[in-house]
Amino acid sequence: MKIAVLGGTGIVGSGVVKDLLSEWSSGVSQVLIIGRNFKKLENLKQTLRDEKVSIEVADATDKLTLVRILRGIEACVNAAQYNVNLNVMEACLEAETPYLDLGGMYYTTLEQKKLHGRFVERGVPAILGMGSAPGSTNILAKYAADQLDSVEKVNIYDAIKVIGPESQVFVPPYSIRTLLEEYSAESVQFIDGELRKVPPCSGKEIVDFPPPFGKIECYYTLHSEIATLPYSLKAKGVKEVTWKLGQPDYIKKVAASLVAVGFGVVKKVRLNNMVIEPLDFLEALIQQNIEEHQKIKSVTSEEQSYEIIRVFVAGRKNNKETNYTIDLIKEPLKEYEGINDPMTSMPASIGAQMLARREIPPGVWAPEECIDTNKFFEEMIKRRFKIICSISTMF
Ligand SMILES: NC(=O)c1ccc[n+]([C@@H]2O[C@H](COP(=O)([O-])OP(=O)(O)OC[C@H]3O[C@@H](n4cnc5c(N)ncnc54)[C@H](OP(=O)(O)O)[C@@H]3O)[C@@H](O)[C@H]2O)c1
């Protein structure tokens, strides 16, 4: 299997590359890492020291170059920032290369779904939002819905708990652009059978997770699950699909402060006759700050990061009220050392391998529409994730 990872030097992309090269993945013969920055690509290649790895410099907005590079590749993971998703999909369509991405922050996902007919016609499969959330969240919701005769509501949560001394240097858990958009944009939730816009970080709820997570405050943010699940589960009668995020206090504080300063608004700034893109500047500053501190000592090595995804699905089975609560847990295991964000990068790697094995039919699919839930769970358990399912029935 020849698999390309666009944005492969990024937080999630580099995790996908490492999973593809790991013993958890079999049959991967080539991993092509594509990015804009030759130095970053070369550094990653040197660190990996694996003959399966090759690199190509390309910008995701340069469709012609992408088409040339992607021809003959059996799956392309697009791990670049989601605003290039449509362009990369067009390139994959032309190169006839199966496509996968990490989500489209609701609105881009809606646009991407409109390409379904063209992907079917050309015989090319595409999976949208195949990370942790969206991704595993959609698949857990589908699994629970499949067990029920009808579904009333789906409530999704994602929370991170950091144990041990927190890093003194701010290391974003994922793309700073996405993080700040989550803290500044109105989100869309499906409530009482309709799509509703709600303020960023509203709907605060204290959720009681199993140890070591405990009680964590979760709140609405903009996410892609709401762009697909209300439609995928329509036949089951679903009337509510919501998404809430719960992050450690230091991330909340930094994100809220940056939004308050103005970084949440993507507008250019004129400074001394120069035009500056604030988020380009911020991204470069954060990266430089991390690198400067890494020269002194590792910035994150003492932290132990746990992550939990909870999907609560309420419905009816055999005329009885029945609820499913499914927790997917990532612990800070030794096996994940050196792999960024395994909770997100591993589902993407699993999905890319399903695409390359032609297990996904042509078309543009949300994960809940195309992934075999049992095969997915097997792959996640192999990678040492915990999946805990509890069922309650009212007699
Ligand atoms: N579904 C989920 O669970 C989940 C979780 C986390 C993140 N995400 C999404 O995943 C995406 C990537 O996140 P991340 O945290 O990995 O971000 P990141 O660390 O900023 O990585 C983005 C990568 O894309 C590259 N890139 C950006 N623009 C590009 C372009 N025009 N052409 C080629 N390469 C380009 C960057 O390289 P250079 O800038 O060096 O060129 C970088 O390597 C984001 O859209 C984020 O929202 C999804």
Side-chain angles (χ1 to χ4, degrees):
M1 290 188 279
K2 295 180 194 166
I3 299 181
V5 185
L6 173 67
T9 55
I11 300 172
V12 179
S14 60
V16 177
V17 167
K18 287 177 186 162
D19 185 86
L20 289 169
L21 296 171
S22 75
E23 57 187 23
W24 293 307
S25 304
S26 55
V28 178
S29 56
Q30 189 191 331
V31 179
L32 171 62
I33 311 172
I34 309 170
R36 290 181 294 193
N37 183 320
F38 175 74
K39 208 171 147 213
K40 278 195 201 170
L41 288 166
E42 192 55 33
N43 282 347
L44 182 58
K45 191 176 171 212
Q46 294 294 335
T47 332
L48 294 168
R49 291 166 184 242
D50 193 314
E51 58 193 22
K52 290 182 203 153
V53 172
S54 55
I55 53 174
E56 282 275 2
V57 177
D59 192 303
T61 55
D62 177 358
K63 188 177 143 196
L64 276 182
T65 306
L66 278 190
V67 173
R68 178 181 55 76
I69 295 173
L70 290 174
R71 276 195 213 284
I73 294 287
E74 289 157 294
C76 169
V77 176
N78 169 20
Q81 193 59 23
Y82 73 88
N83 51 341
V84 300
N85 287 3
L86 284 163
N87 199 61
V88 182
M89 283 182 88
E90 288 292 347
C92 282
L93 200 53
E94 206 159 315
E96 297 187 343
T97 301
Y99 170 91
L100 178 149
D101 66 37
L102 279 311
M105 286 296 262
Y106 184 80
Y107 294 105
T108 305
T109 304
L110 293 180
E111 291 306 309
Q112 292 177 261
K113 279 295 264 175
K114 292 180 188 163
L115 301 181
H116 180 72
R118 290 177 57 209
F119 272 72
V120 172
E121 247 170 54
R122 199 85 186 235
V124 181
I127 313 176
L128 309 184
M130 186 64 194
S132 52
S136 295
T137 47
N138 304 57
I139 297 166
L140 295 178
K142 163 79 162 71
Y143 173 81
D146 279 351
Q147 318 307 312
L148 296 165
D149 300 328
S150 65
V151 173
E152 182 66 23
K153 62 177 183 178
V154 178
N155 302 129
I156 306 169
Y157 306 89
D158 183 345
I160 293 174
K161 175 92 181 174
V162 173
I163 311 264
E166 279 173 4
S167 164
Q168 294 306 301
V169 176
F170 178 67
V171 182
Y174 46 85
S175 153
I176 186 70
R177 291 168 191 268
T178 303
L179 184 76
L180 294 182
E181 200 174 339
E182 285 184 296
Y183 278 81
S184 61
E186 271 189 334
S187 80
V188 180
Q189 307 293 332
F190 186 67
I191 298 168
D192 289 337
E194 59 183 45
L195 294 166
R196 283 197 199 155
K197 283 192 175 172
V198 300
C201 304
S202 60
K204 290 194 166 70
E205 176 186 347
I206 305 291
V207 184
D208 201 358
F209 295 107
F213 298 94
K215 291 188 167 71
I216 294 182
E217 182 186 66
C218 298
Y219 32 85
Y220 293 135
T221 67
L222 187 63
H223 247 240
S224 288
E225 287 88 340
I226 317 301
T228 62
L229 280 169
Y231 306 99
S232 323
L233 303 182
K234 198 175 171 191
K236 295 264 180 181
V238 69
K239 293 190 186 56
E240 179 175 314
V241 183
T242 61
W243 151 265
K244 288 182 181 176
L245 179 66
Q247 282 179 324
D249 283 344
Y250 77 95
I251 293 180
K252 276 197 271 187
K253 272 188 216 147
V254 173
S257 307
L258 288 171
V259 168
V261 169
F263 280 104
V265 184
V266 191
K267 271 196 187 148
K268 294 189 167 77
V269 173
R270 183 167 280 281
L271 181 72
N272 297 337
N273 290 332
M274 278 188 306
V275 177
I276 291 177
E277 164 61 75
L279 286 173
D280 283 349
F281 164 76
L282 181 65
E283 211 170 42
L285 179 67
I286 289 173
Q287 191 52 39
Q288 182 177 297
N289 195 38
I290 294 171
E291 280 164 18
E292 288 298 316
H293 282 82
Q294 252 161 356
K295 282 182 200 154
I296 307 167
K297 75 182 183 86
S298 174
V299 285
T300 52
S301 63
E302 289 169 279
E303 278 187 13
Q304 297 226 299
S305 166
Y306 291 76
E307 185 168 358
I308 184 165
I309 282 172
R310 169 165 294 177
V311 177
F312 172 76
V313 181
R316 296 188 77 78
K317 174 91 182 163
N318 300 331
N319 265 327
K320 289 187 190 89
E321 242 178 70
T322 306
N323 300 333
Y324 274 73
T325 303
I326 313 183
D327 289 341
L328 173 68
I329 297 170
K330 186 226 87 177
E331 295 169 323
L333 303 178
K334 246 178 71 190
E335 288 91 324
Y336 304 149
E337 252 173 42
I339 302 183
N340 283 328
D341 196 353
M343 190 77 144
T344 305
S345 52
M346 291 187 176
S349 168
I350 294 167
Q353 292 173 62
M354 288 176 169
L355 279 170
R357 286 194 296 266
R358 290 279 165 176
E359 290 173 16
I360 310 294
V364 177
W365 310 107
E368 72 272 19
E369 295 174 304
C370 67
I371 301 287
D372 179 320
T373 49
N374 288 324
K375 274 192 191 163
F376 177 74
F377 293 157
E378 265 173 39
E379 288 294 326
M380 291 296 276
I381 290 164
K382 192 163 94 182
R383 288 166 173 80
R384 311 249 347 246
F385 289 86
K386 281 189 180 152
I387 304 173
I388 302 161
C389 178
S390 28
I391 309 160
S392 66
T393 304
M394 311 292 170
F395 287 97

